[in-house]
Structures are given as C-alpha cells and as structure tokens.
Amino acid sequence: MLSVPRSSISATSVGQLALFAGGRLQNGSYTDVVDIYDRKAKKWTASRLSAARSEIGAGSVAGRYALFAGGFDASFKPMSLVDVYDAETGKWLQLQMSMPRAAPRFLDLGSVAAIVGGLSGDLQYLSNAVDYVDSKLAVHSTSLDANYPQLGLAVADRSSGSGLYTSGYQNNRPGERFNDFEASNQTFVFAAASASASLAPGPVFPYPRWGAGGAAANGVFVVGGGHVFGNSTNSALTTVMDRVDVFHAQYQRWSQPQRLSVPRDYPLVQAVGDYIVFLSGTQASKALDIFDSRTCAFVANPQHTPALYTLRQDAAATTVNGCLLLVGGGTVYQGRNATASVEMFDACNA
C-alpha cells in the first residue's frame, strides 16, 4: 500500500524496484512522497522528491536510474527539474531539462532515455523539446521537427532500443492567444544510438484520437482506446473508443485495427513479458485485455480472465522485470476519493 492516498501519480521501475512518485492529495495539494516497492524483499519504503509536484514524466535509463521529469509546481508552473534515483546506491541527484514542462512523455530506449514534449506553459502551450539522458546522466537536447507542437503518446521497446511518439493532440495555432487543438496523426520513430538516438518521421497514425494508451514488446507497438469528439449536432459529444492500432517496427507500418473487449479512455497499458496488458479506463469492466505480441492477437480465455479488484481512475502502473505488474493510487467511487491501495499481478509466479 502507498504511504499516502493520491492520484495523478507517476510510476516507473528499475531493477527490482517499483517507484510511485508525487501526485495530488485528497485536498488538491501536491506531494513529494515517493513509495518504493522492492519485489525481491517484498516490502515498501518511502522517500521524497526534491520538490512536491504533479503531472511528472517518469521512466528509467540503463537499468539503474529512475527519472522523474518536470511537472507542475504548487503555483501550477511547469518545471525543468529531473529527480534521479540511483537504484544501486539508493541516493538521489538532480538534473535539468532544456525547457520547463509538465507531463513530458518518456521513452526508455535502454542505453539512453528520451524525455519528449509536454505542456510548456507559454503561448505555444505544447512543447516539441526532446532531452536525451544517457547512461552517465549526461543530457543532450534537440526538438521534434513537427508541423505542429504535439502532446503525444510515448511507447518504447527497451529490448530493441526503439520508440514511438504518436497520437495525442496538437496545437494548430502555436504562439497565438487562442489555441486550436485537434487529435494528431503525427508520428516519430526513435532508435537508440550510443549516448543519443536517431529521430525520424514515421507513418501517420491511422485514426487520430485523444487519450489512447500504449506499450510495446518484440518490436510490436500497440496503441488502444482513447476518445474522439462529435463533429455534428446529431453525434455524441464524446465517443470512447475500443479501437487498437498496431505498429510493426520491422516493417515500419501500421496493420489492420483490432478491438478491446470494452471501450477505454486513458487506459493504463503495460508490457508484461511478451504481452501488452490494458486495464482501467472504463467503468464498465474490471477485466484486463491482454494482447500477445507474438501472435498479434488478443488472448481469449473465458475460464480465467484477470481483473482489477477496484475500479479506479487517474492511477499509475508499472511493471518490474517484465513480471510483476503494479497498479497504485488514483481515485475511487467515481473520482470522489483518492486511494492508497495497490494491486499486483505476478505473471512469473502465477
């Protein structure tokens, strides 16, 4: 269990550890608490970020460092701070991104991590900044060569050192007083290269939408759920999607779409071994949707369908060593109360 009930948490894993950092308390204030679960010792400890904040980008690099990048401070200003936890020494240190931003996306490419985009807090609103952090914690900066600034979905396959930044939404009027947001089809492909990474435009996202989630395994990138807005007076204001799009890194193309068992908006999505697991993002079902990256199909097993114990929103999830999936925090009772509960699914000791 987390030490403090909260939502809008950021989570990542490194080594045998799962870390849940920052977030929003029940009273709306932000916290600096970090809860750390040791899979080997099977116990929780607590630590702290150098500053309380929410909407943090979280990930890891080199199998040793957990990084918590940016976020909003107590005055709702984006931050450039990156708190780094060294899993070997148990100590913290700090880095700085090239630009302050909240909700940056994170790609763990193995030898290097990419911190991509985010909310800039200026008239552009969305950032195209990219900061690479290598295994020695050196920071190298560049930017997306995008037609429009974009807050996309970041999906990485650490084993192959490849990543995808796609979907989400873009601002068609950057720098102007009034923004013009729409779902984005812009796609960028990352590939690890020593202390940095190559970055190139990729095939456009087939069905632009907001709020999709994704993960990757074996070079297969799976993006599912999300929502679209109605474009006429006769259509629903918002339609939550069950659509799943699959990108194959080997062929650099998207394949035919598939379907979740239920529509999901802002689902939590994790790679667990060869499988991509969709959970949360719906009030209709506690069940998990499980996609097999080897067969590129969803697993159908009516005799045994893993499920959440508690429906929750605005939670965080991470997976330790490709085996132990943890889902923690968020709000329950249709968003009324923050929770400290954590659910665990161990795929290697089932």
Side-chain angles (χ1 to χ4, degrees), residues 134-187:
D134 66 22
S135 60
K136 296 182 180 179
L137 300 183
V139 180
H140 312 273
S141 302
T142 184
S143 62
L144 297 174
D145 185 14
N147 292 326
Y148 303 100
Q150 173 187 10
L151 184 63
L153 170 68
V155 183
D157 182 12
R158 179 168 42 189
S159 62
S160 66
S162 57
L164 206 65
Y165 186 71
T166 189
S167 187
Y169 63 99
Q170 65 192 40
N171 184 4
N172 294 332
R173 299 171 63 181
E176 298 187 24
R177 182 178 178 184
F178 298 103
N179 297 305
D180 179 16
F181 298 131
E182 72 173 2
S184 182
N185 66 1
Q186 297 179 130
T187 299

Side-chain angles (χ1 to χ4, degrees), residues 209 211-213 222-226 240-245 257-269 276-282 287-291 298:
R209 55 196 187 270
V222 184
V223 179
V240 179
M241 308 292 293
D242 62 0
R243 179 178 171 124
V244 175
D245 292 287
Q258 300 192 45
R259 301 292 174 186
L260 298 165
S261 62
V262 293
R264 299 179 187 269
D265 202 14
Y266 297 101
L268 299 174
V269 191
I276 306 300
V277 179
F278 288 81
L279 63 155
S280 192
T282 177
L288 280 55
D289 283 315
I290 302 174
F291 182 93
F298 280 96

Side-chain angles (χ1 to χ4, degrees), residues 63-76:
R64 175 176 176 177
Y65 302 105
L67 286 75
F68 300 95
F72 286 121
D73 65 13
S75 60
F76 207 64

Side-chain angles (χ1 to χ4, degrees), residues 179-229:
N179 297 305
D180 179 16
F181 298 131
E182 72 173 2
S184 182
N185 66 1
Q186 297 179 130
T187 299
F188 297 89
V189 179
F190 289 74
S194 185
S196 187
S198 63
L199 166 59
V204 297
F205 187 58
Y207 197 94
R209 55 196 187 270
W210 311 59
N218 300 319
V220 177
F221 293 75
V222 184
V223 179
H227 66 272
V228 294
F229 294 110

Side-chain angles (χ1 to χ4, degrees), residues 16 39 271-275 319-325 344-350:
Q16 296 287 340
R39 178 175 179 247
V272 183
D274 295 316
Y275 300 94
T319 303
V320 179
N321 284 345
C323 287
L324 182 64
L325 169 60
M344 301 185 190
F345 301 85
D346 196 336
C348 298
N349 294 301

